[in-house]
Amino acid sequence: MNAKPDLEQLDMSVQQLSSVVADLEKQCPVADKGLSVSSAQGCPVAKCSQAIPSTRQCAVNHPIASPFVPDYNIPLLAPGGGDQKPDVLEKLGPLADLVGTWVSQRFSGFNVMPIPQVTAPNGFILKNFNYYEVITFSAISGKVANRGGQYEQDSYTLFYEQRVFFADGPQMDDLVHAENGSWLHQVSAQQGQNEVNTAPFIPTPPAPNPIPTQNPLTEIVKQVSVPHGNSILALGGVTRSYCAPTIPVANCLPIAAPDAFSAAYGPNIATNPSINPNAVLDSALLKLADKGVSVASTTALTVDSDNHGAIANTPFMKSHSDVSRFTTTYWIEHLSTGHLQLQYTQNITLDLPVGDKTYKFPHITANTLTKVQ
């Protein structure tokens, strides 16, 4: 074996490396500590501080200040959540009374939770439990305009955050559910509504006169983000009455499923919360009546993903417990004491695969909350 060509190649590589090192020395010479030079881009850089070229790093020492610094103190949310701004509350319409913080009693909420379990006799189990929760609603500072070309749709928005906790049992006071999202009150309006809506920026063709009114059946929107991997869009409307709400009887039994599935739910009667979680809402109203407190008026917000809405689920969720529909009703109740009470029922339809078939299981929750601030 002739080693001479290998030595010649090695010598050539050393020469090339020395040339590269020399170039680096010119670009980033060793200098006194603290001395800096400007890079080709004009940015001050720290000179290399070590003699070994392979370890030298030239980094930005003092970045040039941006010519524009946004005011990061401008609040996204209206002060006090919006409850002290009459103009914000007026535009929120039926959502205005929600602004603030709401809490429930420890055992006031009930959850019926079917979950897949391949080792169970019927392929699922129930995780039903009492819960308590905190929900906060805050108005954003301003409208959200959806420009339509001739006129616009304005959304006056509440951001909300919901935290749910086990009421008792081995996981008592543990967080069991969290979500956030928004409620929108949508109205039709003149496009622009400021100086750009005057000449020469007047929309062409002219806006309809009168401007079409917002469809009351899609006036209210709920957008939900759940960390299970679900995003939900549900639309609906508002009803008002000067009395307590009539709470519907819910039914948690899986739809068109074998009779054997019903055994896990217990007796099929309206007072059984595993069948009808809304029973806890009637119970709360009865407790108020026993104290001589009545509901003077009720604003009901009902939204449904089947009403021009949509649901997106992650691949895992679609395979194991696909959310196919979402409905909820919020009853905002003005009590004879002057206080506010919030009751809700929520039904999430879960498509659970059991054996070689898929069945629709209602996942229903219901609770009563009081506004505390």
Side-chain angles (χ1 to χ4, degrees), residues 264-316:
Y265 292 82
N268 188 1
I269 55 177
T271 55
N272 174 11
S274 292
I275 293 288
N276 173 34
N278 291 355
V280 300
L281 305 181
D282 282 324
S283 177
L285 291 174
L286 288 174
K287 289 178 181 178
L288 282 181
D290 289 343
K291 297 177 182 178
V293 179
S294 61
V295 177
S297 65
T298 302
T299 299
L301 312 172
T302 299
V303 295
D304 188 339
S305 62
D306 278 0
N307 181 23
H308 303 283
I311 299 175
N313 302 291
T314 58
F316 185 91

Side-chain angles (χ1 to χ4, degrees), residues 20-317:
V20 171
V21 170
D23 289 340
L24 287 173
E25 292 285 358
K26 294 177 182 178
Q27 296 174 20
C28 192
V30 177
D32 293 336
K33 186 176 181 180
L35 189 63
S36 64
V37 297
S38 294
S39 69
Q41 290 76 26
C43 297
V45 299
K47 289 187 177 181
C48 300
S49 59
Q50 299 184 30
I52 304 174
S54 62
T55 63
R56 292 178 178 174
Q57 295 180 347
C58 294
V60 173
N61 193 23
H62 300 292
I64 295 176
S66 168
F68 169 71
V69 178
D71 183 357
Y72 48 80
N73 291 314
I74 296 176
L76 170 64
L77 302 178
D83 59 341
Q84 303 301 320
K85 298 191 68 175
D87 56 329
V88 172
L89 295 177
E90 178 185 2
K91 297 298 178 64
L92 286 170
L95 303 180
D97 283 334
L98 288 175
V99 174
T101 300
W102 301 75
V103 299
S104 74
Q105 297 298 309
R106 176 174 286 275
F107 295 99
S108 61
F110 196 79
N111 171 78
V112 176
M113 183 74 236
I115 53 179
Q117 179 67 38
V118 296
T119 58
N122 294 312
F124 75 95
I125 59 174
L126 291 178
K127 190 172 184 179
N128 301 348
F129 53 86
N130 285 102
Y131 67 90
Y132 65 94
E133 66 184 308
V134 179
I135 310 178
T136 58
F137 300 89
S138 300
I140 67 172
S141 295
K143 68 176 183 180
V144 179
N146 298 323
R147 197 175 180 94
Q150 292 180 294
Y151 63 100
E152 69 184 35
Q153 179 190 67
D154 294 338
S155 294
Y156 295 92
T157 304
L158 293 180
F159 284 166
Y160 79 90
E161 179 184 80
Q162 182 179 22
R163 290 165 287 169
V164 180
F165 304 86
F166 287 110
D168 57 2
Q171 295 177 279
M172 185 174 68
D173 296 330
D174 284 353
L175 182 71
V176 61
H177 176 81
E179 70 177 61
N180 58 23
S182 57
W183 283 87
L184 317 179
H185 176 224
Q186 300 188 136
V187 298
S188 297
Q190 181 181 357
Q191 183 166 283
Q193 304 175 32
N194 53 33
E195 62 274 7
V196 300
N197 204 46
T198 60
F201 304 106
I202 296 175
T204 303
N209 187 16
I211 293 173
T213 58
Q214 169 66 44
N215 183 348
L217 299 180
T218 56
E219 176 184 356
I220 302 298
V221 180
K222 186 178 186 183
Q223 299 177 145
V224 185
S225 177
V226 184
H228 286 293
N230 317 106
S231 294
I232 298 169
L233 178 69
L235 291 79
V238 185
T239 59
R240 298 174 176 84
S241 61
Y242 291 94
C243 59
T246 300
I247 306 296
V249 176
N251 190 336
C252 287
L253 293 177
I255 299 169
D259 292 341
F261 285 17
S262 302
Y265 292 82
N268 188 1
I269 55 177
T271 55
N272 174 11
S274 292
I275 293 288
N276 173 34
N278 291 355
V280 300
L281 305 181
D282 282 324
S283 177
L285 291 174
L286 288 174
K287 289 178 181 178
L288 282 181
D290 289 343
K291 297 177 182 178
V293 179
S294 61
V295 177
S297 65
T298 302
T299 299
L301 312 172
T302 299
V303 295
D304 188 339
S305 62
D306 278 0
N307 181 23
H308 303 283
I311 299 175
N313 302 291
T314 58
F316 185 91
M317 294 299 292

